[in-house]
């Protein structure tokens, strides 16, 4: 991995309390990791939210920061708790209760990629898992909270737009009779992570751009949405999942000819979201 574990693209001037983040689009696969895994690079990338950071790259132009992870999801999953350690992968970890994500191999240090393909031949040491968490997970989350604190202080509330992509096959359960499959699934933990006003405005921005939207099914939000969504503290979090088939060939992890068009549509969404709370909090008199 490079020494840069995340990137923050800041606008020339903050004009909104909205923060965009992409925790799963990291594609910095080190030679050491590639030597450690039994999968080829294309198989590893099946877990990646490829190109999502590029889809939302316009955020700084509209006065909002964009935080992007560099480490790939197959190496460390930033949308998991540090407690979600997989005893089937990490030596010495004691199984405590039943966590469906960990049981399926998708803990903070993943055991599998898409379609349940094992990443390693054997187990990893606890020291290796701890090193990944210390070197990549903690710096990313520290940066994220700093951006949200800055937004809340400057604009009275912070709104995290947590950007992801979803395999096309995963959204069949979200289809609504007569409405077709959604292009976008918004997750707010069924109202726990964002106020109804914020969620309604986020949905309206995507619908207004011509995209079909579903809420919380099949993705309601994971660790990041659950942890950072605190409406009572004026901090909201909405997970955004975009159908990968709209912009990429999933099998080859390549952009299609539709990528630029979707990027333009999402630029309109970003512009609308920048108006969520664009009035800065007045500075107190000295």
């Amino acid at each position: 991995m490079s020494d840069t574990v995340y990137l923050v693209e800041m606008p020339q001037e903050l004009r909104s309390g909205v923060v965009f983040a992409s925790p799963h689009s990291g594609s910095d696969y080190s030679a050491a990791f590639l030597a450690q895994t039994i999968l080829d690079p294309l198989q590893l990338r099946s877990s990646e939210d490829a190109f999502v950071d590029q889809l939302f790259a316009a955020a700084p132009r509209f006065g909002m920061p964009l935080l992007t992870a560099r480490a790939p999801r197959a190496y460390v999953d930033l949308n998991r708790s540090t407690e979600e350690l997989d005893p089937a992968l990490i030596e010495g970890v004691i199984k405590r209760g039943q966590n469906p994500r960990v049981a399926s191999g998708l803990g903070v240090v993943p055991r599998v990629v898409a379609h349940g393909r094992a990443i390693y031949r054997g187990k990893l040491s606890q020291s290796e898992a701890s090193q990944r968490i210390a070197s990549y997970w903690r710096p990313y989350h520290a940066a994220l909270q700093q951006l949200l604190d800055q937004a809340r202080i400057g604009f009275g509330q912070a709104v995290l737009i947590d950007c992801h992509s979803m395999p096309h096959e995963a959204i069949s359960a979200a289809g609504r009779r007569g409405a077709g499959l959604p292009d976008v699934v918004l997750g707010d933990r069924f109202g726990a992570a964002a106020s109804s006003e914020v969620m309604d405005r986020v949905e309206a921005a995507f619908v207004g751009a011509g995209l079909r939207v579903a809420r919380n099914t099949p993705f309601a939000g994971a660790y990041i949405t659950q942890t950072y969504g605190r409406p009572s503290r004026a901090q909201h979090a909405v997970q955004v999942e975009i159908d990968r088939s709209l912009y990429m060939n999933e099998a080859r992890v390549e952009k299609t000819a539709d990528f630029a068009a979707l990027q333009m549509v999402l630029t309109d969404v970003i512009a609308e979201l920048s108006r969520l709370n664009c009035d800065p909090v007045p500075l107190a008199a000295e």
Side-chain angles (χ1 to χ4, degrees), residues 1 9 24 31 46 79 82 110 120 134 153 155 175 182 190 216 220 253 266:
M1 310 291 171
E9 296 180 65
H24 284 165
S46 65
N79 200 18
T82 57
Y120 310 96
I153 292 168
F155 296 89
F190 297 95
N216 291 308
V253 194
L266 291 176

Side-chain angles (χ1 to χ4, degrees), residues 19-25 49 52-53 56 66 160-165 238-242:
V19 173
F20 285 81
S22 178
H24 284 165
S25 57
D49 286 346
V52 164
D53 54 335
F56 290 92
L66 172 63
L160 170 61
I161 305 297
D162 194 45
C163 305
H164 298 261
S165 65
V238 177
Q239 178 177 280
V240 176
E241 296 273 3
I242 298 175

Side-chain angles (χ1 to χ4, degrees), residues 1 24-29 33 48 70-77:
M1 310 291 171
H24 284 165
S25 57
S27 57
D28 188 2
Y29 293 88
F33 179 43
E48 193 183 304
R70 294 293 300 272
R73 182 185 186 183
Y75 186 77
V76 60
D77 193 334

Side-chain angles (χ1 to χ4, degrees), residues 33 35-39 74 86-92 105 109-112 117-126 128 132:
F33 179 43
Q36 192 176 33
T37 177
I38 59 175
L39 300 178
D86 187 350
L89 175 65
I90 301 167
E91 293 176 348
V109 178
R111 172 166 42 91
V112 302
R117 289 173 292 199
I119 300 173
Y120 310 96
R121 183 166 283 109
K123 286 193 170 188
L124 301 179
S125 67
Q126 283 198 49
E128 168 135 4
R132 295 186 190 189

Side-chain angles (χ1 to χ4, degrees), residues 213-260:
V213 177
R215 290 194 188 189
N216 291 308
T217 302
F219 303 107
Y223 173 79
I224 289 174
T225 314
Q226 183 176 13
T227 301
Y228 293 97
R230 294 288 183 266
S232 63
R233 303 179 193 171
Q235 181 171 288
H236 310 265
V238 177
Q239 178 177 280
V240 176
E241 296 273 3
I242 298 175
D243 180 0
R244 291 175 185 168
S245 70
L246 295 178
Y247 66 93
M248 64 178 277
N249 180 302
E250 295 184 64
R252 296 198 298 268
V253 194
E254 294 176 350
K255 297 176 187 176
T256 63
D258 298 320
F259 180 87

